[in-house]
Amino acid sequence: MKKVDRAYGIMNILDTIYPDVHCTLNYSNPLQMLIATQLSAQCTDARVNIVTKDLFQKYSDVYAFANADIKELEQDIRSTGFYKNKAKNIIACCQRLIDTYDGNVPDTMEDLLTLAGTGRKTANLVLGDIFHKPAVVVDTHCIRLSNRLGLTSNTDPVKIEFDLKKLIPPQKQLKLCHQLVNHGRLRCNARKPDCSNCELTEYCKYYQKSFK
């Protein structure tokens, strides 16, 4: 089966299972999305949402974050893990937003990647969910599922991003990534995937190798 046919078959099934998907991080503006995504590195979205509920009230705009006391900010985000590095990056990121972008979150990959703490995963999520541009968000779920489903043989996130861009129409890219997150949580666990109840077994190379 050609990879593009495999991709369309997978998308059709996921559309029936998860017709309405969205980012599970809570935010109300581009800056909050950017910071929440930075905090989500090596942390669950559920934990980040608990932290940002108070965080976004305490630091109401880019200037508040840029001028934050780093020790205080570290404690505010401590439970998300790697809090020292995250606090340093958030302050530096917001200072650059003020100095270079008039306090606004930029809407291009090139500009977003100049911000501290912002890699391609974070940039793509901002581009897709905030600015509604084509975006492939490669997180741990996307890496695991795209390999198991035979959409890529790469493990490097950047290579996976470009592999999927070749297969998935631009208007469907972000939705598919959110669907993969949902399916990764519901069915395709890293250690014990629920293959017996999975709707994608006909396209899954992992299943066919393990159970046939």
Side-chain angles (χ1 to χ4, degrees):
M1 181 186 299
K2 293 181 179 179
K3 281 187 177 180
V4 66
D5 295 330
R6 179 182 296 275
Y8 273 83
I10 291 167
M11 284 189 289
N12 287 336
I13 293 173
L14 290 176
D15 279 344
T16 65
I17 309 171
Y18 314 105
D20 300 306
V21 290
H22 55 83
C23 177
T24 52
L25 292 169
N26 295 334
Y27 63 93
S28 59
N29 58 54
L31 177 67
Q32 290 184 0
M33 156 65 89
L34 179 62
I35 290 174
T37 308
Q38 291 183 0
L39 292 174
S40 72
Q42 306 297 314
C43 183
T44 66
D45 288 1
R47 166 53 57 185
V48 172
N49 288 338
I50 291 171
V51 170
T52 56
K53 182 179 180 180
D54 294 328
L55 187 74
F56 291 154
Q57 288 188 339
K58 181 175 182 178
Y59 303 94
S60 59
D61 58 27
V62 68
Y63 299 96
F65 277 112
N67 295 307
D69 177 83
I70 190 166
K71 294 297 182 182
E72 190 172 346
L73 182 57
E74 285 175 0
Q75 295 310 308
D76 291 332
I77 65 173
R78 187 185 183 97
S79 65
T80 67
F82 302 96
Y83 60 94
K84 289 181 179 292
N85 199 47
K86 288 179 180 179
K88 181 183 69 173
N89 284 336
I90 287 171
I91 291 173
C93 171
C94 289
Q95 288 173 345
R96 180 167 175 80
L97 289 176
I98 293 168
D99 293 342
T100 309
Y101 302 105
D102 297 321
N104 299 309
V105 176
D107 63 353
T108 69
M109 175 66 74
E110 182 181 19
D111 288 335
L112 285 165
L113 291 178
T114 68
L115 303 175
T118 305
R120 294 189 69 87
K121 172 192 162 185
T122 296
N124 271 308
L125 194 59
V126 171
L127 290 174
D129 273 311
I130 294 296
F131 297 109
H132 309 296
K133 294 186 175 185
V136 174
V137 181
V138 182
D139 66 353
T140 56
H141 296 291
C142 182
I143 293 171
R144 182 173 70 257
L145 271 70
S146 60
N147 270 274
R148 287 179 174 177
L149 292 168
L151 298 177
T152 183
S153 58
N154 286 303
T155 56
D156 176 75
V158 177
K159 291 181 179 179
I160 292 173
E161 177 186 336
F162 286 96
D163 284 346
L164 294 180
K165 281 183 175 179
K166 295 175 185 176
L167 298 173
I168 312 302
Q171 70 274 17
K172 290 182 175 287
Q173 290 172 0
L174 184 68
K175 183 178 183 181
L176 175 67
C177 293
H178 287 325
Q179 288 171 330
L180 291 177
V181 169
N182 278 262
H183 201 69
R185 290 171 177 164
L186 179 68
R187 295 273 189 255
C188 200
N189 183 274
R191 295 184 179 179
K192 292 184 67 176
D194 185 15
C195 296
S196 61
N197 291 308
C198 183
E199 300 86 348
L200 296 174
T201 52
E202 66 180 291
Y203 295 104
C204 184
K205 290 193 171 184
Y206 175 87
Y207 173 81
Q208 292 159 8
K209 181 180 178 181
S210 302
F211 298 98
K212 288 191 176 182

